[in-house]
Amino acid sequence: MANSIKLRAKASKGVVTVKALINHPMETGLRKDQKTGKLIPAHHIQEVMAKSGDKTVLDAVWGGAISTNPYLSFMYSGAKGDSLTLSWVDNQGNSDSETASVA
Amino acid sequence: MNRRTLLKRTLALSAVSVAASAGLLTPGQVLAAYPKAAFEAKDTAAALTAALGTGGFEHSDGIEIKAPDIAENGSVVPVTVEVSSALSNVESISILAESNGTPLVATFNLSGSEAFISTRIKMGKTGDVVAVVKSGGKLYGNKKEVKVTIGGCGG
C-alpha cells in the first residue's frame, strides 16, 4: 500500500492547514457483492495519526462510515518548513505513512 | 525439485512468516486501543458512552457543522466541524450520523491541533449529523439535518 496518501500542508499566520487524501476502499462490511451475493468483508482505516516532528498533533479513530478514499483536513499551530507525517492503520493490519514539509 | 532445494525453500519461507508475525505485533497493539464497542453501538447515547464515557451532551451553538442540506449521494457527504473560541481546551471532536445503523463515524483526538475537522462521511438515509466536542471533561454537541436522496450504506 505504498503511496496511498496525498498530503499538503500550508502555513499562514502561525497556523498550518493540512489537507490529505488517502486511497482506501473503506468497506463497512455491510455491503454485498452484486455477483456472488456474499458480504464484502470490512476493510477500513481504524487509526489516523498526524505528527509534526515528534509531537502528535492529531490522532483519530475511524469507523467504516468515513467515505471511500477519505479526505481529511485539519489545522494546527506550526510554521513553514516543519515536517509533518500522516500515517494510518486499517483493520486488516495494513498501514502507510507520508511525510510532507509545510509550505 | 530435489530434497536440498526443498529444504532451503522451506527454511526461507518459515523465516519470512516469522518476520511477518513479528511485524504484525505492532498494528495488533495499536488495534488494542481501538474502541470497537463504540463503533458497533446501535444508538448515539451508547456510542458516546463507549467512546467518551458519557452518553449525554449539552447543546452548544459554539460548534458549527457545515454539511449540505440535501446530499444527493449519501456515500460522500462533506462535513466540516468548527468550534468557536467560546469552548476552550477542546480535547476531541466526534462525528456521528444518527440515522446510520452504527452512528459513530469517527473521533478525532486533538492533541495540539486547532478545533477544526473536515472530512467526508457515509450516510445511509436522511438524519442528523451530530458533532460532539469534549472540552474540560464535559461533552458539548450540536446537530444538523442532512437529507439524503441516495443512501450510501449497502449496495
Side-chain angles (χ1 to χ4, degrees), chain B residues 19-38:
Chain B
S21 59
L24 274 173
L25 278 174
T26 347
Q29 280 163 351
V30 172
L31 294 187
Y34 181 73
K36 202 162 189 282

Side-chain angles (χ1 to χ4, degrees), chain B residues 36-58:
Chain B
K36 202 162 189 282
F39 283 101
E40 283 170 355
K42 303 282 186 223
D43 62 78
T44 309
L48 284 176
T49 310
L52 304 167
T54 29
F57 57 83
E58 206 172 294

Side-chain angles (χ1 to χ4, degrees), chain A residues 42-85:
Chain A
H43 185 199
H44 60 83
I45 295 175
Q46 287 194 325
E47 291 221 354
V48 178
M49 180 97 85
K51 278 187 173 181
S52 168
D54 295 336
K55 198 173 149 270
T56 303
V57 286
L58 179 82
D59 101 77
V61 282
W62 285 8
I66 294 277
S67 296
T68 306
N69 296 335
Y71 166 77
L72 170 67
S73 176
F74 63 94
M75 296 189 237
Y76 71 95
S77 23
K80 194 175 168 173
D82 287 358
S83 92
L84 179 81
T85 305

